[in-house]
Amino acid sequence: MTDRHILTAVAWPYANGPRHIGHVSGFGVPSDVFSRFHRMSGDQVLMVSGTDEHGTPITVAADAEGITPRQIADRNNRIIVDDLASLGLSYDLFTRTTTVNHRNVSQEIFLGLLKNGYVFPKTTLGAISPSTGRTLPDRYIEGTCPICGYDGARGDQCDNCGNQLDPTDLINPVSRINGETPKFVESEHYFLDLPAFARALGDWLGTRGNWRPNVLNFSVNLLEDLKPRSYTRDIDWGVPVPLDGWRDRDDKRIYVWFDAVVGYLSASIEWARRSGDPEAWRQWWQTPDADAYYFMGKDNIVFHAEIWPAQLLGYNGQGDKGGSPGSYGALNLPTEVVSSEFLTMEGRKFSSSRNVVIYVRDFLARYDADALRYFIAAAGPESQDTDFTWAEFLRRNNDELVAGWGNLVNRSVSMAAKNIGAIPTPGELTDADRALLATTSGAFAPIGDLLSRNRQKAAAAEAMRVVSEANKYLSDQAPWKLKEDPARRDTVLHTALQAIKDCNALLTPFLPHSSQKVHELLGGTGVWSAAPQIVETTDLDDGSPYPIITGDYAASQAVWASTPLPPAGTPLATPTPVFTKLDPSIVEEELRR
Ligand code: MET
């Protein structure tokens, strides 16, 4: 184990429905590849997230179904937990924002900001529906964006230019629920004084030169137009505002985004409380050399590169008004906001309402989790918008996983099992043998460097290049032609199996499920790469039941280095294929679906 503490902070999926493969290509697979790589390197990773359960879409869904927001959240939390665990995402804790712990931590951050003067009260105009008299949530107001002129902008954000908006900013606002023009009435709110952080945010971003350029540029541009943002909303579902006269009101809550980002901290605290050392979270949040990497799709950048850092700076007393840290003490800012771009599907934007969508669970009902993980890592939207096509998914699966990696494993282990029935005894190595082993064992450093910088596409491509070197070695040495020279045949097979062991470690962050199988095919026993577990548990404070994702990842044997095969003579069985070859007919079939 190293002393390096790495927080993997994964965006919290919104609990208004099941997640599709576009979602998991943004926050999911990249964060898991990163965490698994660092755990293999011996670093102390804490990977946290949960379902984001407050906010208006959930109240609107609840109204539509005639059930409570909590019932909607409970149902979708469970679906999302199942999906993410099935994908093998190795959260130390995947929780939810409706816990008492999360409420308390969110309120502490608000109070710390208030104490330092970064949150202030102000009366503003809030939208209500003239026909019902009810508050009209920001997202349910649509109009023309005053910044870019896009005419489908919403009251909270313009999806075209990415700027945050207030409903009163919109030109020609209308209700998306019934088309009427909203009425704006006075309403008291608290605001986060973002302009007071312009200098501190600028200084911080000025030290972030190794971020992806598009993420950094976008974040720096946000600083040009910092305005106070409403910290509270007229809504009855969310974290109560922890002030006398506000706490018990059922029409004011903290804005969903301002509690959701606090989730990274509250989940770390919940994890520590569950681990039996309630202070353990501090190692990831308060030691100066701890790192925190935040993973998300690009529509979330503003909240992670501006709002959350501002909340942290204000809580720490590091904005223009100074101040002192709240009762937790000063908290670390993000090391990096790792944002991916968008995944489209067969040339179109994902849309649940227009049925342009592939839900994670539907995908996993028909295909292996590792096949999807590999596609996302090798061909996903890492730094530009990328199209998912079934034809490309089929090609990556059949050519790279099955014919490339799977075939190397299958033919080598088959030959050793058939001829020797065990790990062979190697004789003296030739130059060709040594060259292959130098290639595979030498690949950990450069691929590790790519993974530590989240260049996962390049890392996956390089790992597959090493696999093809091993395939070439096997074809060149042709152990099947060495019947007359069993000693040399055994040396070639031993070399190939050792190369496979190295390649398997290199591919483990991408392919945790199949790497366990390959480990066993090579005569290994025990856990190679631990899988996440769903555990039915209860709220630490109020006892209500919910499922979490957690895992004993320290039980994994996988390390980021070349490790020797089991001793010669360890029995090997005839392998079953590690990957499933897909019939080209699935492309037509899926396109019809
Ligand atoms: N719920 C948000 C989304 O799905 C992410 C929140 S991250 C704190 O975009």
Side-chain angles (χ1 to χ4, degrees), residues 10-15 19 23 52 257 260-264 299-300 304:
V10 191
W12 291 52
Y14 207 58
R19 297 297 85 179
H23 292 127
D52 180 2
W257 263 109
V261 288
V262 176
Y264 303 115
D299 50 339
N300 284 181
H304 295 84

Side-chain angles (χ1 to χ4, degrees), residues 131-170:
S131 61
T132 65
R134 290 185 67 183
T135 301
L136 201 50
D138 295 354
R139 287 170 58 98
Y140 289 84
I141 304 173
E142 207 168 68
T144 303
C145 174
I147 298 166
C148 73
Y150 176 64
D151 64 9
R154 293 184 324 223
D156 58 345
Q157 179 169 342
C158 173
D159 281 341
N160 189 51
C161 66
N163 280 289
Q164 292 177 80
L165 302 171
D166 282 320
T168 48
D169 296 338
L170 292 174

Side-chain angles (χ1 to χ4, degrees), residues 59-211:
T59 60
V60 170
D63 285 350
E65 287 194 40
I67 57 177
T68 64
R70 175 72 190 215
Q71 285 171 312
I72 294 275
D74 283 348
R75 183 174 74 204
N76 290 320
N77 162 262
R78 194 164 281 281
I79 293 170
I80 292 169
V81 159
D82 279 345
D83 286 351
L84 302 185
S86 306
L87 254 184
L89 304 184
S90 57
Y91 298 97
D92 292 283
L93 179 65
F94 185 91
T95 176
R96 55 195 305 190
T97 56
T98 43
T99 64
V100 176
N101 177 73
H102 177 73
R103 185 186 71 203
N104 291 341
V105 177
S106 303
Q107 292 182 335
E108 164 60 21
I109 296 296
F110 175 88
L111 290 172
L113 287 162
L114 186 72
K115 167 182 79 83
N116 285 336
Y118 295 107
V119 161
F120 60 88
K122 190 178 151 194
T123 299
T124 57
L125 292 177
I128 61 165
S129 155
S131 61
T132 65
R134 290 185 67 183
T135 301
L136 201 50
D138 295 354
R139 287 170 58 98
Y140 289 84
I141 304 173
E142 207 168 68
T144 303
C145 174
I147 298 166
C148 73
Y150 176 64
D151 64 9
R154 293 184 324 223
D156 58 345
Q157 179 169 342
C158 173
D159 281 341
N160 189 51
C161 66
N163 280 289
Q164 292 177 80
L165 302 171
D166 282 320
T168 48
D169 296 338
L170 292 174
I171 302 163
N172 297 328
V174 291
S175 160
R176 286 171 63 197
I177 297 170
N178 59 13
E180 64 188 358
T181 302
K183 198 168 120 195
F184 290 96
V185 296
E186 290 209 327
S187 177
E188 210 191 347
H189 283 288
Y190 278 88
F191 278 72
L192 178 64
D193 189 2
L194 286 171
F197 302 106
R199 192 186 41 83
L201 286 171
D203 289 349
W204 168 67
L205 286 173
T207 61
R208 305 290 102 196
N210 50 359
W211 288 18

Side-chain angles (χ1 to χ4, degrees), residues 202 205-206 215-225 305:
L205 286 173
V215 182
L216 187 59
N217 291 340
F218 183 88
S219 306
V220 169
N221 286 338
L222 291 172
L223 298 181
E224 282 171 19
D225 187 30

